[in-house]
Amino acid sequence: MARLNFVLLLAVLVSALYLVRTQYESRRLYVELEKTSAQSRKIEVENERLQVEKRAQATPLRVEQLARDRLHMRTATPAITQYVSYKDAAPAPAGGAPHE
């Protein structure tokens, strides 16, 4: 009988240790999941902010302003436009080399 009690006590102890280990692992994984969820929410907020900023940067007015300021471009007007007609253009030589 003592041997059976000892085996049962040992089984209860092993079971209790396994239960404690399982609960600890479960809590650890839950904390990791919460941290990951918080990080995911933070990344989503940052992504939304960047999308809004991207849309603000791509407005036609901003693109035109950058073209004027940085690239020194100007609006095409008839006064600065040069038209080339087909009659004025010299025919290209047969070999593809330019005329000199």
Side-chain angles (χ1 to χ4, degrees):
M1 189 71 168
R3 188 177 268 175
L4 180 60
N5 286 340
F6 179 73
V7 170
L8 289 176
L9 177 65
L10 188 61
V12 167
L13 286 175
V14 168
S15 174
L17 288 174
Y18 181 74
L19 178 64
V20 168
R21 180 181 167 274
T22 303
Q23 286 179 342
Y24 171 78
E25 187 67 19
S26 173
R27 288 182 185 133
R28 186 186 68 76
L29 289 173
Y30 180 76
V31 168
E32 189 175 328
L33 176 66
E34 287 300 313
K35 285 181 184 178
T36 305
S37 295
Q39 186 179 12
S40 173
R41 285 188 296 273
K42 198 185 273 187
I43 289 172
E44 286 175 6
V45 167
E46 178 70 10
N47 185 40
E48 285 296 319
R49 185 187 67 77
L50 290 173
Q51 291 295 330
V52 167
E53 189 176 318
K54 178 182 169 185
R55 285 191 294 270
Q57 294 291 327
T59 61
L61 182 61
R62 173 134 173 92
V63 171
E64 184 177 344
Q65 181 182 9
L66 287 174
R68 287 179 195 269
D69 296 345
R70 291 190 184 169
L71 302 176
H72 305 291
M73 296 176 84
R74 56 188 175 178
T75 306
T77 62
I80 62 171
T81 305
Q82 293 180 355
Y83 296 96
V84 178
S85 65
Y86 181 71
K87 294 177 190 175
D88 294 340
H99 250 5
E100 288 190 21

